[in-house]
Amino acid sequence: MNERYSRQVLFPGIGKEGQEKISRKHVLIIGAGALGSGNAEILARAGVGKITIVDRDYVEASNLQRQQLYTEEDVAEKLPKAAAAEKRLKAINSDVEIRAIIGDATPEMLEELVSDVNVMIDATDNFETRMAMNDAAQKYNVPWIYGACVGSFGMSFSIIPGKTPCLNCLLRTIPLQGMTCDTGGIISPTVQMVISHQTAEALKMLVEDWEAVRTSFVSFDLWRNQYSSMKMSKAKFAGCLSCGEERTYPYLDRDNMTKTTVLCGRDTVQIRPAKAGEISLEQLSAQLCSLGYKVKGNPYLLSVEMGGERMVIFQDGRALIHGTKDLTHAKTIYQRIMG
Ligand SMILES: [Zn+2]
C-alpha cells in the first residue's frame, strides 16, 4: 500500500486489510450537489476503487457557497455537475475510477446501477428519488446511507437490508418528507456534518466492519446546539411494502415517477421527455438561433433565452425551465422550443 493512504492505514479501524478492501469497492452516489460533492471528494481521497455519481443539474453561482467540488469556471461554462465533479475527482485521485452520469436517477437507472455496487449514498434533494433508492437497495441487497439537511438541521441513518428498518419503515415514525427542500436556506457546516456522518458510515461498510455501523437515527441542529440519537431497532415494520414479507417495491414502479417536477427550492421546472433518447444539440441550436433565440452551449447542454424565458436543454432531451413553478406554463415553453 503506498504512502498516500498511510494515515488511514494507521487508523486501527481500517488498517492495511481495510485499505485493500476500500480499493476494491464501488460506491454509488446519487446527487452531486452539496452532499454529493463532499461525499465524493472524501471517498475519492480515501481511495475507493470506483465511484459512480449521478446528477441532473448544472453548476450555478449559488452552489459555490457549499458545493465543494465546483469553481467559478464551472459556473461560467455551465458545466453539468456530474461532468464538473468527474473532472475534479480525477484531478484529486487518478487511481479512482470515476463514472459520471448526467441525468435523472429514475427507478430504471437505479435498478441498472445498483446491482454491482457495494454501498450507495443518498445525496439527492427529492423525496421521490430517495424512496426509489430505498426500494432498489432492498431489492438488490445493497447497504446505503440516508442523509438530508435544511438550514442548520441535518440527519442521517444507515440502512442495511435484512438488518435495519428501511426508509419506508421510518416514515411511520419520522416525518421525513419535509426534509427535502432547502427553501429556508442552508449553511455549509450543516452539509459538512451530514457528509461526515455519511462517509464515516460508508468507510465502516467498505471495510465490512458491520458491528461498527451506527444503528441509531442521528439528527442535529448546529444553530440551536441540539444533538439527538434515536434507537430505531423497533421501527422495522413487518408490513412494510419496501422491506416486509409482502414487499412490492412500490417506488420502483415507473408510473409513480412524474415526468414534470418542480425542482427543490427554486423557480425551476424539470421536464423529462416521454421517450428517452439523445437529441442533436447542434441541430437544435441552429434551429433555435434561426428563430431568434439566444443560445449558448457546451458539449452537454444548451442554454436558451428569449423574452425573459430561460431554459436549459440536456442531451437526453430533458429540460430545466427557469423562472416558473407552474407546470402547465413550463410545458408550453418546452413544447414551443422542442417542437
Ligand atoms: Zn421497510
Side-chain angles (χ1 to χ4, degrees), residues 134 138 164-170 235-237 239-244:
N134 183 60
Q138 293 296 329
T164 66
C166 80
L167 201 64
N168 206 356
C169 294
L170 293 196
K236 198 161 169 61
F237 173 52
C240 176
L241 290 179
S242 299
C243 75

Side-chain angles (χ1 to χ4, degrees), residues 15 32 37 60 67-68 105 124 135-136 138 153 177 199 207 220 224 238-239 247 272 279-280 293 298 307 314 317:
S37 310
E60 291 177 287
Q67 304 191 10
Q68 65 192 66
T124 65
D135 276 359
Q138 293 296 329
F153 182 73
Q177 289 99 322
T199 47
V207 303
F220 59 85
R224 295 190 178 83
R247 56 180 80 182
R272 273 194 294 129
I279 57 166
S280 161
Y293 285 93
N298 61 37
F314 293 86

Side-chain angles (χ1 to χ4, degrees), residues 5-22 25 199-213:
Y5 306 111
S6 60
R7 299 307 185 276
Q8 202 164 273
V9 168
L10 272 175
F11 176 72
I14 292 180
K16 195 163 172 280
E17 200 187 319
Q19 188 60 42
E20 269 158 21
K21 281 182 181 161
I22 290 172
K25 299 283 170 78
T199 47
E201 292 301 292
L203 289 174
K204 294 172 191 174
M205 291 176 182
L206 293 173
V207 303
E208 297 160 32
D209 188 354
W210 303 105
E211 289 295 301
V213 172

Side-chain angles (χ1 to χ4, degrees), residues 123 171 231 270:
L171 285 184
K231 280 219 169 13
Q270 169 180 268

Side-chain angles (χ1 to χ4, degrees), residues 94 131 174 304:
S94 56
M131 294 309 286
I174 310 171
V304 183

